[in-house]
């Protein structure tokens, strides 16, 4: 039986826009949504692709207005909106060991935890490339920038590495798979 978010994708987009107006935050939600949809298909959860996508879209629902309460305030907002317990748990779990004690348990939650920061770092690498494209991006280019602590300093390497560990993947594998996910919908 497919998981239910308690909300359609269009309704989720409107909810995201209710609490977020910054173009960066809206685009980040869409990027993580696309990556989550890719992983749902690739990891054998195709029947839950919509759920995974909505988790990705709404994962930072509270971040723009309540960054100090990230993953805490969103639980309240989602509960008030009548969203499913599964969706609330999944989105909140990406704040594990940062703002909440909700550990990612399901593979989908582990993917969200791992790719949230990584998509930001990869996006920063892409901006620096002559092609401005993920289509010709290689793992070694991301790894080179990854090693520079000053590059995309807001993207936590610790969280990315912990996410890869939760999934049982190498860092290189996580980066490679995330690049492949981004290639399916990003120029």
């Amino acid at each position: 039986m497919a998981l239910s978010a308690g909300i359609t994708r269009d309704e989720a987009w409107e909810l995201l826009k209710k609490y977020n107006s910054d173009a960066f935050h809206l685009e980040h939600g869409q990027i993580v949504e696309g990556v989550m949809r890719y992983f749902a298909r690739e990891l054998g959860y195709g029947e839950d692709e919509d759920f995974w996508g909505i988790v990705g879209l709404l994962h930072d629902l509270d971040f723009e207005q309540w960054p100090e309460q990230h993953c805490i305030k969103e639980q309240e907002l989602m509960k008030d909106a009548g969203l499913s317990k599964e969706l609330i748990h999944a989105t909140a779990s990406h704040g594990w060991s940062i703002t909440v004690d909700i550990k990612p348990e399901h593979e989908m939650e582990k993917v969200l935890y791992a790719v949230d920061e990584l998509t930001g770092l990869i996006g920063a690498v892409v901006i620096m490339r002559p092609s401005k494209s993920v289509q010709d991006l290689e793992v070694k280019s991301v790894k080179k920038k990854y090693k520079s602590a000053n590059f995309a300093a807001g993207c936590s390497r610790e969280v990315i590495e912990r996410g890869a560990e939760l999934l049982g993947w190498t860092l290189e594998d996580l980066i490679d798979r995330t690049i492949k996910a981004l290639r399916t919908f990003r120029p």
Side-chain angles (χ1 to χ4, degrees), residues 95-150:
W96 174 59
S97 78
I98 304 162
T99 56
V100 297
D101 292 329
I102 302 168
K103 185 176 182 181
E105 299 294 341
H106 187 279
E107 192 169 21
M108 176 261 307
E109 296 171 343
K110 294 173 184 179
V111 169
L112 176 64
Y113 187 86
V115 303
D116 179 32
E117 298 285 317
L118 182 57
T119 57
L121 188 126
I122 291 172
V125 173
V126 168
I127 290 169
M128 302 296 292
R129 298 177 56 73
S131 68
K132 307 277 190 242
S133 175
V134 72
Q135 297 301 320
D136 60 354
L137 182 62
E138 295 182 18
V139 172
K140 66 180 180 179
S141 298
V142 175
K143 285 282 295 203
K144 183 178 178 183
K145 293 292 189 183
Y146 184 93
K147 291 176 184 175
S148 172
N150 291 334

Side-chain angles (χ1 to χ4, degrees), residues 26 50 52 59 66 83 105 111 119 129 153 182:
L26 295 171
D50 287 338
W52 283 48
H59 78 284
W66 300 278
L83 305 187
E105 299 294 341
V111 169
T119 57
R129 298 177 56 73
L182 289 163

Side-chain angles (χ1 to χ4, degrees), residues 27-143:
E27 183 180 25
H28 176 66
Q30 292 175 308
I31 289 168
V32 177
E33 173 190 16
V35 169
M36 293 299 291
R37 286 181 176 280
Y38 171 86
F39 278 112
R41 294 186 305 270
E42 288 298 307
L43 297 174
Y45 298 95
E47 73 279 2
D48 290 325
E49 181 180 338
D50 287 338
F51 182 82
W52 283 48
I54 291 170
V55 165
L57 185 64
L58 293 180
H59 78 284
D60 280 348
L61 182 66
D62 61 358
F63 190 78
E64 187 174 314
Q65 292 188 37
W66 300 278
E68 70 288 343
Q69 294 180 41
H70 184 41
C71 296
I72 299 166
K73 182 69 175 176
E74 76 181 19
Q75 293 177 65
E76 176 188 324
L77 299 174
M78 290 181 178
K79 187 176 179 184
D80 289 348
L83 305 187
S84 73
K85 290 178 184 175
E86 294 82 9
L87 179 74
I88 295 168
H89 185 277
T91 56
S93 72
H94 89 281
W96 174 59
S97 78
I98 304 162
T99 56
V100 297
D101 292 329
I102 302 168
K103 185 176 182 181
E105 299 294 341
H106 187 279
E107 192 169 21
M108 176 261 307
E109 296 171 343
K110 294 173 184 179
V111 169
L112 176 64
Y113 187 86
V115 303
D116 179 32
E117 298 285 317
L118 182 57
T119 57
L121 188 126
I122 291 172
V125 173
V126 168
I127 290 169
M128 302 296 292
R129 298 177 56 73
S131 68
K132 307 277 190 242
S133 175
V134 72
Q135 297 301 320
D136 60 354
L137 182 62
E138 295 182 18
V139 172
K140 66 180 180 179
S141 298
V142 175
K143 285 282 295 203

